[in-house]
Amino acid sequence: MNLIIIGPPGSGKGVQSSLISKYFKIAHISPGEILREEFEKKTKLGIEAEKYWRNGNLVPDEMILKIVKKRLKQKDCKKGFILDGFPRTLNEAQKFLRFSKLNNVVLLDIPDKISIRRITGRRECSKCDAIYGPEIPSKKKRICDKCSGKLYQREDDSPNVVKNRLKIYHKSINPIINLFKNKRLLAKIEGSGSIQDVFNKVKEKLTT
Ligand code: AMP
């Protein structure tokens, strides 16, 4: 099962991908997360890419395509994968289809207002990457419920950067949607409900 999940910042791609990956026993691949890890490790790729994502701009297609291609060759992708937040340009989508099979694309749709509220209130665990936010608050302030790790705000989740990310999303997403729609791969899902409600809708779309 080879899947893609796309949607605006804060649409729940990360949370839903993680549920999908556990449910269908497939690999969860987030190029954004890979870039953040590379930056933490201070690799050349990580340092180069950070110049783009810090301000909410897209990292060049070729850099992302290289990361995705390499990651898909790993053993845990044999049974399938969910690509979270890829593609973000038509070029990425077209090139991806040249080297990989694809079964379904989930588009999580939410209004900009909810996107901004969720993203600016989002906190991530520095140890286990668990995600919290206005709709999923942690029990203790700034402490992860799961592993007691410290919660932090992603640098690109600040209000100004989020506005830029949303602007870029709206500018680039339509041709990608049309491409997948024409190939009858697209499942559009309203993403503003609860995590479980959205996941139930996703499961239904992916299994019927
Ligand atoms: P994400 O964690 O998916 O929100 O991604 C964080 C940042 O990484 C984005 O704002 C982009 O700068 C960069 N990025 C992630 N995925 C892609 C992609 N498919 N194409 C270009 N840039 C990306």
Side-chain angles (χ1 to χ4, degrees):
M1 195 176 214
N2 296 351
L3 308 174
I4 276 177
I5 189 161
I6 50 175
S11 54
K13 298 188 294 292
V15 171
Q16 293 298 327
S17 295
S18 146
L19 293 171
I20 293 167
S21 133
K22 281 187 197 121
Y23 186 82
F24 292 105
K25 297 187 175 57
I26 54 176
H28 175 192
I29 304 168
S30 158
E33 196 58 51
I34 295 175
L35 293 175
R36 285 187 290 279
E37 283 166 12
E38 291 289 321
F39 180 64
E40 286 285 301
K41 290 190 260 171
K42 296 280 173 267
T43 63
K44 203 175 150 205
L45 166 77
I47 292 167
E48 178 62 23
E50 189 255 359
K51 291 181 206 153
Y52 300 92
W53 64 252
R54 174 179 289 277
N55 301 317
N57 295 319
L58 294 180
V59 169
D61 294 354
E62 291 312 318
M63 216 187 259
I64 296 286
L65 283 160
K66 216 166 137 184
I67 291 172
V68 170
K69 231 181 196 172
K70 191 174 158 198
R71 182 65 185 83
L72 291 186
K73 285 190 183 133
Q74 289 179 5
K75 223 175 153 186
D76 64 332
C77 295
K78 288 257 152 63
K79 281 193 198 151
F81 55 81
I82 174 136
L83 267 165
D84 162 8
F86 172 94
R88 275 170 149 110
T89 65
L90 182 62
N91 180 45
E92 282 182 358
Q94 288 167 332
K95 291 207 170 139
F96 169 79
L97 290 174
R98 287 188 210 150
F99 64 78
S100 179
K101 283 201 178 124
L102 182 63
N103 300 103
N104 263 301
V105 178
V106 174
L107 165 66
L108 288 180
D109 201 33
I110 55 163
D112 282 3
K113 240 167 114 182
I114 296 184
S115 195
I116 293 169
R117 196 173 81 89
R118 281 186 180 173
I119 287 292
T120 51
R122 178 162 77 177
R123 298 294 180 272
E124 257 186 65
C125 176
S126 49
K127 262 199 203 163
C128 73
D129 298 329
I131 301 167
Y132 299 89
E135 291 148 30
I136 18 165
S138 58
K139 290 195 185 94
K140 285 189 200 159
K141 216 177 168 189
R142 290 192 284 270
I143 304 282
C144 178
D145 294 352
K146 293 177 188 151
C147 73
S148 302
K150 255 194 179 169
L151 303 185
Y152 74 101
Q153 181 177 38
R154 265 172 52 177
E155 294 190 37
D156 57 341
D157 280 354
S158 65
N160 279 343
V161 178
V162 172
K163 279 188 198 137
N164 188 36
R165 285 166 65 194
L166 264 175
K167 200 174 94 192
I168 291 173
Y169 173 80
H170 289 301
K171 227 166 101 182
S172 47
I173 202 65
N174 285 338
I176 301 174
I177 290 176
N178 288 336
L179 173 75
F180 292 138
K181 215 192 241 172
N182 290 339
K183 293 191 178 291
R184 302 193 181 282
L185 291 171
L186 196 82
K188 185 173 170 179
I189 290 165
E190 166 57 45
S192 32
S194 74
I195 293 174
Q196 197 54 48
D197 282 350
V198 175
F199 184 52
N200 289 342
K201 283 190 232 163
V202 169
K203 264 193 305 193
E204 200 187 304
K205 287 268 187 189
L206 294 179
T207 48
T208 50

Coordinates of all heavy atoms in Angstrom, one line a residue, residues 113-165:
K113 N -8.3 29.5 8.9 CA -8.5 29.9 10.3 C -8.1 28.8 11.3 O -7.3 29.1 12.2 CB -9.9 30.3 10.5 CG -10.1 31.8 11.0 CD -11.6 32.2 10.9 CE -12.2 32.5 12.2 NZ -13.7 32.8 11.9
I114 N -8.5 27.6 11.0 CA -8.2 26.5 11.8 C -6.7 26.1 11.7 O -6.0 25.8 12.7 CB -9.1 25.3 11.5 CG1 -10.5 25.6 11.8 CG2 -8.7 24.0 12.3 CD1 -11.5 24.5 11.6
S115 N -6.2 26.2 10.5 CA -4.8 26.0 10.2 C -3.9 26.8 11.1 O -3.1 26.4 11.8 CB -4.6 26.3 8.8 OG -3.4 25.7 8.3
I116 N -4.2 28.1 11.1 CA -3.4 29.1 11.9 C -3.5 28.8 13.4 O -2.5 28.8 14.1 CB -3.8 30.6 11.5 CG1 -3.4 30.8 10.1 CG2 -3.2 31.6 12.5 CD1 -3.9 32.1 9.5
R117 N -4.8 28.6 13.8 CA -5.0 28.3 15.3 C -4.2 27.0 15.7 O -3.5 27.0 16.7 CB -6.5 28.1 15.5 CG -6.9 28.2 17.0 CD -8.4 28.2 17.1 NE -8.9 26.9 17.1 CZ -9.0 26.1 18.2 NH1 -8.7 26.6 19.4 NH2 -9.5 24.9 18.1
R118 N -4.3 26.0 14.9 CA -3.7 24.7 15.3 C -2.2 24.9 15.3 O -1.5 24.4 16.2 CB -4.1 23.6 14.3 CG -5.4 23.0 14.6 CD -5.6 21.9 13.6 NE -6.9 21.2 13.8 CZ -7.3 20.3 13.0 NH1 -6.6 19.9 12.0 NH2 -8.5 19.7 13.2
I119 N -1.6 25.5 14.2 CA -0.2 25.5 14.1 C 0.5 26.4 15.1 O 1.5 26.1 15.7 CB 0.2 26.0 12.6 CG1 -0.1 24.9 11.7 CG2 1.6 26.4 12.5 CD1 0.8 23.7 11.8
T120 N -0.1 27.6 15.3 CA 0.6 28.5 16.3 C 0.4 27.9 17.7 O 1.2 28.3 18.6 CB 0.0 29.9 16.2 OG1 -1.4 29.9 16.3 CG2 0.4 30.6 14.9
G121 N -0.5 27.0 18.0 CA -0.6 26.4 19.3 C 0.0 25.1 19.4 O -0.1 24.4 20.4
R122 N 0.7 24.7 18.3 CA 1.3 23.3 18.3 C 2.6 23.2 19.0 O 3.4 24.1 19.0 CB 1.5 22.9 16.8 CG 2.2 21.6 16.6 CD 2.0 21.0 15.3 NE 2.9 21.6 14.3 CZ 2.9 21.3 13.0 NH1 2.1 20.4 12.6 NH2 3.8 21.9 12.2
R123 N 2.8 22.1 19.8 CA 4.0 21.9 20.5 C 4.4 20.4 20.2 O 3.6 19.6 20.2 CB 3.9 22.1 22.0 CG 3.5 23.5 22.4 CD 4.6 24.5 22.1 NE 4.2 25.9 22.5 CZ 3.5 26.8 21.8 NH1 3.2 26.4 20.5 NH2 3.2 28.0 22.2
E124 N 5.7 20.2 20.0 CA 6.2 18.9 19.8 C 7.1 18.4 20.9 O 7.8 19.2 21.5 CB 7.0 18.9 18.4 CG 6.2 18.3 17.3 CD 6.9 18.2 16.0 OE1 7.9 17.4 16.0 OE2 6.5 18.9 15.1
C125 N 7.2 17.1 21.1 CA 8.1 16.6 22.1 C 9.5 16.5 21.6 O 9.7 15.9 20.5 CB 7.6 15.2 22.6 SG 8.7 14.5 23.8
S126 N 10.4 17.0 22.3 CA 11.8 17.0 21.8 C 12.4 15.5 21.9 O 13.4 15.3 21.3 CB 12.7 17.9 22.7 OG 12.5 17.6 24.0
K127 N 11.8 14.6 22.6 CA 12.3 13.3 22.8 C 11.6 12.3 21.8 O 12.3 11.6 21.1 CB 12.1 12.8 24.2 CG 13.3 12.9 25.1 CD 13.1 12.0 26.3 CE 13.8 12.4 27.5 NZ 13.3 11.7 28.7
C128 N 10.2 12.3 21.9 CA 9.6 11.2 21.1 C 8.7 11.7 19.9 O 8.0 11.0 19.3 CB 8.7 10.4 22.0 SG 7.2 11.2 22.6
D129 N 8.8 13.1 19.7 CA 8.1 13.7 18.5 C 6.6 13.7 18.6 O 5.9 13.9 17.6 CB 8.5 13.0 17.2 CG 10.0 13.2 16.9 OD1 10.5 14.2 17.3 OD2 10.6 12.3 16.2
A130 N 6.0 13.3 19.8 CA 4.6 13.4 20.0 C 4.1 14.8 19.8 O 4.9 15.8 20.0 CB 4.2 13.0 21.4
I131 N 2.9 15.0 19.2 CA 2.4 16.3 18.9 C 1.2 16.7 19.8 O 0.3 15.9 20.0 CB 2.0 16.4 17.4 CG1 3.2 16.0 16.5 CG2 1.4 17.7 17.0 CD1 2.8 15.7 15.0
Y132 N 1.3 17.9 20.3 CA 0.2 18.5 21.1 C -0.3 19.8 20.4 O 0.4 20.4 19.6 CB 0.6 18.7 22.5 CG 1.1 17.5 23.2 CD1 2.4 17.1 23.1 CD2 0.2 16.7 23.9 CE1 2.8 15.9 23.7 CE2 0.6 15.5 24.5 CZ 1.9 15.1 24.4 OH 2.3 14.0 25.0
G133 N -1.5 20.2 20.9 CA -2.0 21.5 20.3 C -3.3 21.8 21.0 O -3.7 21.2 21.9
P134 N -4.0 22.9 20.4 CA -5.2 23.4 21.1 C -6.2 22.2 21.3 O -7.0 22.2 22.3 CB -5.8 24.4 20.1 CG -4.6 24.8 19.2 CD -3.7 23.6 19.2
E135 N -6.3 21.3 20.3 CA -7.3 20.2 20.5 C -6.8 19.0 21.2 O -7.5 18.1 21.5 CB -7.8 19.8 19.1 CG -8.7 20.9 18.5 CD -8.6 21.0 16.9 OE1 -8.3 20.0 16.3 OE2 -8.7 22.1 16.4
I136 N -5.4 18.9 21.3 CA -4.8 17.8 22.1 C -3.8 18.3 23.0 O -2.6 18.2 22.8 CB -4.1 16.7 21.1 CG1 -3.9 17.3 19.7 CG2 -4.8 15.4 21.1 CD1 -2.9 16.5 18.9
P137 N -4.3 19.0 24.1 CA -3.3 19.6 25.1 C -2.6 18.5 25.9 O -3.1 17.4 26.1 CB -4.2 20.4 26.0 CG -5.6 19.8 25.9 CD -5.7 19.1 24.5
S138 N -1.4 18.8 26.3 CA -0.7 17.9 27.2 C -1.2 18.1 28.6 O -1.7 19.2 28.9 CB 0.8 18.2 27.2 OG 1.1 19.6 27.6
K139 N -1.1 17.1 29.5 CA -1.7 17.2 30.8 C -0.9 18.3 31.6 O -1.5 19.1 32.3 CB -1.6 15.9 31.5 CG -2.6 14.9 30.9 CD -2.8 13.7 31.9 CE -3.7 12.7 31.2 NZ -2.9 11.6 30.5
K140 N 0.4 18.2 31.5 CA 1.2 19.2 32.2 C 1.8 20.2 31.2 O 2.2 19.7 30.1 CB 2.4 18.6 32.9 CG 2.0 17.8 34.2 CD 3.3 17.4 34.9 CE 3.1 16.3 35.9 NZ 4.3 15.6 36.2
K141 N 1.9 21.5 31.5 CA 2.4 22.5 30.6 C 3.8 22.1 30.2 O 4.7 21.9 31.0 CB 2.3 23.8 31.2 CG 1.9 24.9 30.2 CD 1.8 26.3 30.9 CE 1.7 27.4 29.9 NZ 1.8 28.7 30.5
R142 N 4.1 22.1 28.9 CA 5.4 21.9 28.3 C 6.1 20.6 28.6 O 7.3 20.4 28.4 CB 6.3 23.1 28.7 CG 6.0 24.4 28.0 CD 7.1 25.4 28.2 NE 7.1 26.0 29.5 CZ 6.3 27.1 29.8 NH1 5.6 27.7 28.9 NH2 6.4 27.6 31.1
I143 N 5.3 19.6 29.1 CA 5.9 18.3 29.4 C 5.1 17.2 28.6 O 3.8 17.2 28.6 CB 5.8 17.9 30.9 CG1 6.5 19.0 31.7 CG2 6.3 16.5 31.2 CD1 8.0 19.0 31.8
C144 N 5.8 16.3 27.9 CA 5.1 15.3 27.2 C 4.4 14.2 28.1 O 5.0 13.7 29.0 CB 6.1 14.6 26.3 SG 5.4 13.2 25.3
D145 N 3.1 13.9 27.8 CA 2.4 12.9 28.6 C 3.0 11.5 28.4 O 3.0 10.7 29.4 CB 0.9 12.8 28.0 CG 0.1 14.0 28.2 OD1 0.6 14.9 28.9 OD2 -1.0 14.1 27.7
K146 N 3.6 11.3 27.2 CA 4.1 9.9 27.0 C 5.4 9.6 27.5 O 5.7 8.5 28.0 CB 4.1 9.7 25.4 CG 2.7 9.7 24.8 CD 2.7 9.5 23.3 CE 1.3 9.7 22.8 NZ 1.3 10.3 21.5
C147 N 6.4 10.6 27.5 CA 7.8 10.2 27.9 C 8.4 11.3 28.8 O 9.6 11.2 29.1 CB 8.6 10.1 26.6 SG 9.0 11.6 25.8
S148 N 7.6 12.3 29.2 CA 8.0 13.4 30.1 C 9.1 14.2 29.4 O 9.8 15.0 30.1 CB 8.6 12.8 31.4 OG 7.6 12.1 32.1
G149 N 9.3 14.1 28.1 CA 10.2 15.0 27.4 C 9.7 16.4 27.4 O 8.5 16.7 27.6
K150 N 10.6 17.3 27.1 CA 10.3 18.8 27.0 C 9.5 19.1 25.7 O 10.0 18.6 24.7 CB 11.5 19.6 27.1 CG 11.8 20.3 28.4 CD 12.8 21.3 28.2 CE 13.1 22.0 29.5 NZ 14.3 22.9 29.4
L151 N 8.5 19.9 25.8 CA 7.8 20.2 24.5 C 8.3 21.5 24.0 O 8.7 22.4 24.8 CB 6.3 20.4 24.8 CG 5.5 19.2 25.4 CD1 4.0 19.5 25.5 CD2 5.8 17.9 24.6
Y152 N 8.4 21.7 22.7 CA 8.9 22.9 22.1 C 8.1 23.3 20.9 O 7.3 22.5 20.4 CB 10.4 22.7 21.7 CG 10.5 21.9 20.4 CD1 10.8 22.5 19.2 CD2 10.4 20.5 20.5 CE1 10.9 21.7 18.0 CE2 10.5 19.7 19.3 CZ 10.8 20.3 18.1 OH 10.9 19.6 17.0
Q153 N 8.2 24.6 20.5 CA 7.5 25.1 19.3 C 8.5 25.1 18.1 O 9.6 25.6 18.3 CB 7.0 26.5 19.6 CG 6.2 27.0 18.3 CD 5.6 28.4 18.5 OE1 6.2 29.2 19.1 NE2 4.4 28.6 18.0
R154 N 8.0 24.4 17.1 CA 8.9 24.4 15.9 C 9.1 25.9 15.4 O 8.2 26.7 15.5 CB 8.2 23.7 14.7 CG 8.6 22.2 14.6 CD 7.7 21.5 13.7 NE 7.6 22.1 12.3 CZ 6.9 21.5 11.3 NH1 6.3 20.4 11.5 NH2 6.8 22.1 10.2
E155 N 10.3 26.2 14.9 CA 10.7 27.6 14.5 C 9.7 28.0 13.4 O 9.4 29.2 13.4 CB 12.1 27.6 14.1 CG 13.1 27.4 15.2 CD 14.5 27.7 14.8 OE1 14.7 28.7 14.0 OE2 15.4 26.9 15.2
D156 N 9.3 27.1 12.5 CA 8.5 27.5 11.4 C 7.0 27.5 11.8 O 6.2 27.6 10.9 CB 8.8 26.7 10.2 CG 8.6 25.2 10.4 OD1 8.6 24.8 11.5 OD2 8.5 24.5 9.3
D157 N 6.7 27.4 13.1 CA 5.3 27.4 13.5 C 4.9 28.8 14.1 O 3.8 28.9 14.6 CB 5.0 26.3 14.6 CG 4.8 25.0 13.9 OD1 4.7 24.9 12.7 OD2 4.7 24.0 14.7
S158 N 5.8 29.8 14.0 CA 5.4 31.1 14.5 C 4.4 31.8 13.5 O 4.4 31.4 12.3 CB 6.7 32.0 14.6 OG 7.2 32.2 13.3
P159 N 3.6 32.7 14.0 CA 2.5 33.3 13.2 C 2.9 33.8 11.8 O 2.2 33.5 10.8 CB 1.9 34.4 14.1 CG 2.3 34.0 15.5 CD 3.6 33.2 15.4
N160 N 4.0 34.5 11.7 CA 4.4 35.1 10.4 C 4.8 34.0 9.5 O 4.4 34.1 8.3 CB 5.5 36.1 10.6 CG 5.0 37.4 11.1 OD1 3.8 37.7 10.9 ND2 5.9 38.2 11.6
V161 N 5.6 33.0 9.9 CA 6.0 32.0 9.1 C 4.8 31.1 8.6 O 4.8 30.7 7.4 CB 7.1 31.1 9.8 CG1 7.6 30.0 8.9 CG2 8.3 32.0 10.1
V162 N 3.9 30.9 9.5 CA 2.7 30.1 9.1 C 2.0 30.7 8.0 O 1.5 30.1 7.0 CB 1.8 29.9 10.3 CG1 0.5 29.2 9.9 CG2 2.5 29.0 11.4
K163 N 1.8 32.1 8.0 CA 1.1 32.8 7.0 C 1.8 32.6 5.6 O 1.2 32.3 4.6 CB 1.0 34.3 7.3 CG -0.1 34.5 8.3 CD -0.4 36.0 8.5 CE -1.2 36.1 9.8 NZ -0.8 37.2 10.6
N164 N 3.1 32.6 5.7 CA 3.9 32.3 4.4 C 3.7 30.9 3.9 O 3.5 30.7 2.7 CB 5.4 32.6 4.6 CG 6.2 32.6 3.4 OD1 5.7 33.0 2.3 ND2 7.4 32.1 3.4
R165 N 3.7 30.0 4.9 CA 3.5 28.5 4.5 C 2.2 28.3 3.9 O 2.0 27.6 2.9 CB 3.7 27.7 5.8 CG 5.2 27.5 6.2 CD 5.3 26.9 7.6 NE 4.8 25.6 7.7 CZ 4.6 25.0 8.9 NH1 4.9 25.6 10.0 NH2 4.2 23.7 8.9

